[in-house]
Each structure stands twice: as structure tokens, then as C-alpha cells.
Amino acid sequence: MEPLPVVWFIAIALLWTGYLLLEGFDLGVGMRMLFTTRSEQDRRVMLNTIGPIWDGNEVWLITAGAAMFAAFPAWYAALFSTLYVPLTITLVGLIVRAVGIEYRGKLHTERWRTVWTWLIGIGSVIVAFCIGAALALTSTGLPLDANGDRVGGPFVWLTPVAVLGGLAVVGFALAHSATFLGLKADGPVRERAGSFAARWAPLCLIPAAGWAILVQFEHGGSVLSWALVALAVIAAVVGWIAARARREGIAFTGYAGFGLFGVASIFAGMFPLVLPSTVDAAFDLTLWNAANGSYTLGVMTVVAGISLPVIVLYQAWSYWIFRKRVTPGMIPEVHIVLPAVLRAR
């Protein structure tokens, strides 16, 4: 068994885990702006908790996709061509959300802020749902023929499993963001987030638990993958108990641990498959028939070994710099800021 395909399968699993854990809470914050408050100050507090870090979190998505393309081109080609529609919708959601975050404070009118608030929230839901659907389908299977081409129409991917995966990531983002806001915000936002984490977050995690268990039954899970499922459940229980006691750091760690062990159990459960075929098991894509050549994987390993630690250290540094809570008193009154060009005149 060649080691490099296994190494890169683990690396891609870690990249997707990093994306779901980091982007998960800022997607959840975007969703929560729609329903947890009607106060403009509270929405600005929520937005400022993710303001310095949300765009850095999206790097994990780009890196995960690039790693799949370079390490397992057959996996990338089959998955992205079959899921062309939902991935295009995801791209639109990412663009709308990013523009909303940047443009929301550019004009001081209620209508302007309301429109962009809704676009941030809707964009966040779209991204979370479509990413969850794509990952659920790659873990359970798509209708692929012997060439890795899609069998069926452009919406053949829209199945109950896709819906389950989409709800799983949406639900996890809502639960994860509640504990994140408990750590990063203060005032009414902190109180409402803590209450949500203690009361509703466990229900939000049920679709993700269902997805992880489905993968185990679908592929005959190993001892390792079932152990990871058990650890995910234990982490969720710890997070829930801590949330009820308002121990915010432990609550955040518990729900994040649920995401970590849950995603790990899914990738461990599908190993060595990377994309099963629902048409015929003979058409399954595995680590061995989907991987790139040994030379390419070797070069990628050297490059990743040098660049990834730098990226991780930089992102850890940015989180450390912006580690303090955002309080209502830090939010200035809305005021008009003239561009530098106009001020110079």
C-alpha cells in the first residue's frame, strides 16, 4: 500500500475539518443575524466578532478544493462535474455573503442595512447547506459510470442524503456559533447565545449525528470510525452540560469536539473510498484509482510541509490578536466617513 495517497486523504480530511470548524461559526453568526435580535447594535456586535477573521477562514475551503484537485484529480473531476449546480450556487452564496459583510455599513439607512443583513444571512445558509450536501454525497455516493461521469440529469444529486448533509452543516453552524458568541461577545448577544447553546444547540446537532451514523452503516464502519462517533457524542454532551452551566470555554470546546470527531468518523468510515458509485460498486473511486502519480504527490508533500505551517501560524496569530470580547460599548455611533480624496479637497 503506497503511503502518499493515505497521507493526502488524511490531509484533505483535516482541511475540510478545519474549514467546517472555523467557517462554521462565522456562517452561523451570519444566520443568527436574521432571527436572534432586532437591535442594530447587537447585529454590529455580532458582525464585529467575525470581522477580522471570516475571510481568512475561507482559505481552508480553497485549500481543501485545491488539494483534492492536485492529489486526487479523478475524485475532484467526478465530484465537481456531478455537483456543478450546487457548487455554482455555493459560489454565489459566498459572493453575496462577502459583499454583504463589506457593504452593510457603507450607507446609513434602515433599508440599506436590512437588505444586506438578509443577504448575509441567506448567503450563509446557502453556503452551509450546499457544502454539507456535497460532503454528504461524497461520503455516501453519487451515480457515476465507469468513466466517473454522472448518470442522470443535473439535479440527480438532490437526494434525502444531500438534504441531511445540508441540514447537518447548517445545524452545526448554528450550535457552534452560539458557543463562539458566548466567548467573543458581551451584553445581550452573549446572553442570548448562551441560552441557545444550552437549550436548542443539541437539537441542531441531530442531523450531523445522523449523517455520521449513516456513513458507518453504509460502508460497514471500522472500530476506529465507531470510536470516533462515540467521542463525538461524548463531546456534544460535555458541551451541552457546560453550556447549561454557562462555562463558555468548555461549551465551545465540546461542540467543536463534536464537529472534529464527527467529521473524522465520516472520513474514517468511508476509507479507502473517496467517492462511491451508486450505479455499481465496480465504479467506486478509491485512494488508489483516483490518486495522482507518486512524483506529484511527493512534490506536493514537500510544498505543503513548508507552506501549511506558515499559514496555520499566521491564522493562529490573527486569532490571538483579536481574542478580546466585543462589547456594546466598543461599537461607535453610526456616522458618515468621507473618503480620503474628498477630505483632501
Side-chain angles (χ1 to χ4, degrees):
M1 182 172 69
E2 294 183 20
L4 285 180
V6 178
V7 169
W8 275 98
F9 179 79
I10 295 172
I12 289 169
L14 289 173
L15 289 170
W16 278 114
T17 303
Y19 174 72
L20 291 173
L21 290 181
L22 298 178
E23 184 86 325
F25 61 70
D26 67 53
L27 288 172
V29 169
M31 298 178 211
R32 295 176 65 82
M33 289 178 65
L34 296 180
F35 68 90
T36 57
T37 181
R38 294 184 179 180
S39 165
E40 173 60 17
Q41 185 180 60
D42 288 351
R43 290 195 181 104
R44 291 176 67 192
V45 167
M46 294 166 70
L47 203 53
N48 274 272
T49 62
I50 63 171
I53 54 177
W54 69 269
D55 50 352
N57 293 340
E58 291 186 351
V59 171
W60 290 80
L61 174 63
I62 298 169
T63 308
M68 289 173 64
F69 170 76
F72 300 98
W75 180 13
Y76 176 92
L79 181 67
F80 278 62
S81 61
T82 304
L83 301 182
Y84 187 85
V85 172
L87 292 176
T88 301
I89 296 172
T90 302
L91 183 60
V92 173
L94 286 168
I95 293 171
V96 167
R97 176 173 169 269
V99 173
I101 292 173
E102 296 293 341
Y103 274 59
R104 186 179 184 277
K106 299 299 184 185
L107 195 64
H108 179 39
T109 68
E110 185 66 28
R111 183 177 180 182
W112 177 270
R113 289 194 301 267
T114 299
V115 168
W116 289 114
T117 297
W118 275 94
L119 289 176
I120 291 169
I122 293 171
S124 298
V125 172
I126 288 172
V127 172
F129 186 88
C130 290
I131 290 294
L135 291 177
L137 290 168
T138 197
S139 63
T140 57
L142 284 167
L144 304 175
D145 62 18
N147 297 319
D149 296 328
R150 181 188 70 220
V151 176
F155 291 96
V156 72
W157 57 271
L158 191 54
T159 64
V161 172
V163 174
L164 176 65
L167 293 177
V169 175
V170 170
F172 174 71
L174 288 172
H176 195 34
S177 63
T179 55
F180 172 78
L181 289 173
L183 281 178
K184 285 291 294 177
D186 209 350
V189 172
R190 179 184 181 184
E191 290 303 314
R192 281 191 293 269
S195 177
F196 185 93
R199 179 175 295 182
W200 300 109
L203 295 178
C204 293
L205 299 180
I206 290 176
W211 172 19
I213 293 171
L214 174 65
V215 170
Q216 309 313 312
F217 283 111
E218 187 84 11
H219 303 302
S222 62
V223 173
L224 173 61
S225 61
W226 277 111
L228 290 168
V229 171
L231 288 173
V233 173
I234 293 170
V237 172
V238 170
W240 176 63
I241 293 172
R244 287 174 61 86
R246 293 302 173 95
R247 302 186 66 177
E248 294 156 335
I250 298 177
F252 178 82
T253 303
Y255 286 154
F258 171 84
L260 172 65
F261 292 124
V263 176
S265 73
I266 290 168
F267 277 94
M270 59 187 286
F271 181 88
L273 298 173
V274 293
L275 184 56
S277 171
T278 57
V279 175
D280 191 326
F283 304 154
D284 289 348
L285 294 179
T286 69
L287 268 65
W288 323 120
N289 63 18
N292 216 326
S294 298
Y295 178 79
T296 301
L297 294 178
V299 172
M300 287 174 58
T301 303
V302 173
V303 173
I306 297 170
S307 59
L308 280 180
V310 175
I311 295 171
V312 171
L313 286 173
Y314 171 76
Q315 193 160 23
W317 174 81
S318 67
Y319 272 82
W320 176 255
I321 291 296
F322 296 104
R323 66 187 181 278
K324 298 254 177 112
R325 288 185 184 275
V326 179
T327 66
M330 294 178 179
I331 306 300
E333 294 294 329
V334 176
H335 57 283
I336 298 174
V337 179
L338 292 176
V341 174
L342 295 179
R343 291 202 302 269
R345 294 176 183 177

